[in-house]
Amino acid sequence: MSRILNTFNALVRRDLRRKSLRVPARSLATDDGDPPGLLGKRLKDSAETVVIGGGCVGVSVAYHLAKAGQKDVVLLEKSELTAGSTWHAAGLTTYYHPGINLKKIHYYSIKLFEQLEAETGQAVGFHQPGSIRLASTPVRVDELKYQMTRTHWHPTPQFLIGPEKIQQLFPLLNMDKVLAGLYNPGDGHIDPYSLTMALAAGARMYGAQIYCPAPVTGLTPTADGRWDVQTPHGTIRANRIVNATGFWARELGQMIGLPHPTIPVHHQYVVTATVPEVKALETELPVIRDLEGSYYLRQERDGLLFGPYEKEEKMKLQDSWVRDGVPPGFGKELFESDLDRIMDHVERAMEMVPVLKNADIINIVSGPITYTPDLLPMIGPHQGARNYWTAIGFGYGIIHSGGVGKFLSDWIVSGEPPYDLIECDPNRYAHWTSVPYLCAKARESYGFNNVVGYPKEERFAGRPTDRVSGVYERLKDTCSMGFHAGWEQPHYFHKPGDDTGYKPSFRRTNWFGPVGRECKLVMEGVGVIDLSPFGKFIVKGEDSHRLLDRLFANTLPKVGQTNISHMLTPWGRVYAEVTVTQTAPGEFLLITGSGSELHDLRWIEREVCDSGYRVSVSNVTDEMGVLGVAGPKSRAVLQKLTDEDMSDTAFRFLHCRSMQLAGVPLRAIRISYTGELGWELYMDMQKMSAVYEALMEAGRDENIDNFGTYAMNSLRLEKGFRAWGAEMNCDTNPLEAGLDYFIKLNKPAEFLGKQALLEIRAQGLSRRLVFLTLHTDDIDPEGNETVWHNGEVVGNTTSGSYSYTTQQSLAFAYLPLHLLHVGQKVEVELLGQRYPATVTQEPLVPTEPTRTRLQKKNRSV
């Protein structure tokens, strides 16, 4: 192998002498041919939307808004279109994405690219030879099977193919290690510059105005929620602004106090001269992605283009730009290349594609691309800044550009997202996203580009953040922690003799036994769980009833009571699920999931601002710790620590009480997401450790112990409890999700989505959520798997787990109306195998309140 490397190095040295790797910037003339600093046309005074940033994403947003009929769309670009990351991108396009709805983004982009030239008259240089993700280990084959079952219920063309088909499609491969491939016909690559210019031509064609060079020098919010956008050429009053500034996103955000967690990463790719074996081919080679080698390779004219993703210890961040800003004038320049960082990948690529060994290198591109901590972009309106939207943080901006432009345009025009994309919500980050955390996670994410994508995946760089609960130090060495919106939260606990450590798998692994032990604990004894990551808001004021009656489809609880309520979109889809407690007249405590804290807060604040409600909304998530206590012996433990009467008649289900526990003032709500007898205890975070220690001491005789979120998920599924983000989200309406009990269509208030739901009910549903039991072996459903019937795809699961109480696998799934009856047989695909499943009456295990009512009824008979 050293001979190969020596050969490569010699070629590189020769080509470095022949050609400078420092690519000069193109002229800063505008796209209209004007010299730098001159617009050539008068800047508008006002606009409906101002898009800031002229890369492919920003131009796509302007194109789609204008095409949707929005008047007065303006795009401002600081230098020239494509400056930043767009112009030097490798231009890869693929239908594939492991995210469920990000597949929709990719799908739309490719369909747009296919017809954009005909629409605009501008060539885009789109090649569609397909792509193959190569698996060269058994676990990689499992990964491909895992992704296939998550794709069969989507329109994405994707196939699992064997070595013979791979060799046929890419005859230059060394097949010694290749076991299988994930093939996406229609994938390929596009010229980023031509794409952007075609989108710009389309934007102008539909009435948008594009100004460059027009750097934004200031942003000032107005009292009515609009923005004054300052440039050297004047100020534009905008109803909204969209930050699409690529690696300048952090600087623009800092103008309004939002230091977005984005950071430039050095990404390199190599371009070869003509390769005779490539030139001799009759058809263009598909793009390959060698998952173990962590690189992509495609045909570039009659040569090859090869781009690696280095491991985190070798990759390079441009972290000085986070501290000091992007150097003035940087826009169409490149970094100096560093071949030492990628030599491991070069070696692997030469082994996989032997013709690379003798290829001449004509160019090495090393340019900045933008990363967020989790590699996903930040798309949508931002909490805390009214009418400020982001389209930033794109590590793969070319393939995202079309779909993101359409997604944001639809949301801006209609007032709600066209589908759920919460994994890209800009509000998933907050104060806890420090610069050290950002840098650590960006390094990890870059190196994780081609690692195996397991279910229940955890990544550990940058953890913990400053978001830890009052019992974190007490629990951290006894459990496997999960990461939720900056928080550390126990997934499961280990005991002496357990197989510990993070050991991911597509099948049951070392967490399976401990989770069963914790389920038994809650079903038969008493367990404690840290629920501090819940989002927590206090709403109060003279209009609090009117506001919440408008936001929630359920009636409001009385003082001292609690209920489950849902915020709906105008189209009648489920935007959020919230536990609502009226703690005092006109004062409400709202509890939401950790992952939707600021997502939900933004929705509430928007309604307050738009309608002028006289209320205060406080986010108390970080100040308030939460412990859940659940199980048949939970009442006995709590009663030892308080003088309050905890009996069933005195402290009823879904009631709330302010009380003292072990001398600590707190608020107790009788509710448990396990479906068992239980309470949630809300207290000052600083007092949480004392309450936890008191509970563990008081519960010694009851064998009290800890349990985590994996057990809670299994228990809630047995009880038939739906979860937001799985059974319900912005892709579903509450009627098909089986939430009828919580939706009060006859309540007097005209809640958001009410009219849409009445129309949906009148038109009838096409699918409904059902409960499935499965016969599996060492694997359980997770959610988003394909459901089959008579050889046809008929639906998808939403979540799943193993039921330790009934000793079988469970799942929720959406199925068409003709397959809903109890006893209906279907199949659920798991790792390439279709397992028999049966539609079952839910719940499989009755909840504790239901069991108690039945016991009372039986005693009275």
Side-chain angles (χ1 to χ4, degrees), residues 466-494:
D466 62 6
R467 255 194 164 179
V468 293
S469 78
V471 295
Y472 170 74
E473 290 296 331
R474 172 70 173 76
L475 301 180
K476 66 179 183 179
D477 295 327
T478 66
C479 66
S480 174
M481 287 284 185
F483 189 73
H484 303 274
W487 295 93
E488 299 289 329
Q489 186 176 28
H491 277 163
Y492 69 94
F493 290 81
H494 42 76

Side-chain angles (χ1 to χ4, degrees), residues 352-520:
M352 186 66 76
V353 186
V355 297
L356 270 176
K357 297 175 186 178
N358 298 313
D360 286 348
I361 308 303
I362 62 170
N363 202 0
I364 303 173
V365 175
S366 178
I369 58 175
T370 308
Y371 265 45
T372 61
D374 62 8
L375 187 53
L376 294 174
M378 300 169 63
I379 306 168
H382 207 290
Q383 186 272 330
R386 193 176 175 193
N387 293 319
Y388 172 76
W389 297 63
T390 62
I392 59 177
F394 293 92
Y396 309 102
I398 305 303
I399 185 56
H400 284 154
S401 60
V404 166
K406 174 65 171 171
F407 179 84
L408 278 180
S409 172
D410 286 353
W411 192 347
I412 288 170
V413 170
S414 72
E416 66 179 271
Y419 47 85
D420 181 74
L421 209 61
I422 193 171
E423 64 266 41
C424 295
D425 188 344
N427 306 297
R428 68 189 185 273
Y429 299 119
H431 63 86
W432 50 269
T433 316
S434 65
V435 171
Y437 173 84
L438 166 62
C439 293
K441 297 305 285 188
R443 285 187 177 280
E444 179 187 55
S445 292
Y446 190 81
F448 266 60
N449 260 285
N450 289 307
V451 300
V452 177
Y454 290 106
K456 294 183 168 68
E457 181 182 72
E458 287 293 325
R459 299 183 180 183
F460 298 97
R463 296 169 51 181
T465 71
D466 62 6
R467 255 194 164 179
V468 293
S469 78
V471 295
Y472 170 74
E473 290 296 331
R474 172 70 173 76
L475 301 180
K476 66 179 183 179
D477 295 327
T478 66
C479 66
S480 174
M481 287 284 185
F483 189 73
H484 303 274
W487 295 93
E488 299 289 329
Q489 186 176 28
H491 277 163
Y492 69 94
F493 290 81
H494 42 76
K495 300 290 186 185
D498 286 346
D499 182 10
T500 61
Y502 175 62
K503 297 181 179 179
S505 174
F506 293 103
R507 296 171 172 80
R508 295 170 188 163
T509 182
N510 60 336
W511 51 260
F512 186 77
V515 172
R517 183 172 62 218
E518 293 171 20
C519 289
K520 180 179 175 68

Side-chain angles (χ1 to χ4, degrees), residues 124-143:
V124 296
F126 192 24
H127 296 244
Q128 294 184 273
S131 78
I132 309 170
R133 302 176 70 84
L134 300 176
S136 53
T137 66
V139 72
R140 286 291 189 183
V141 176
D142 277 352
E143 181 184 20

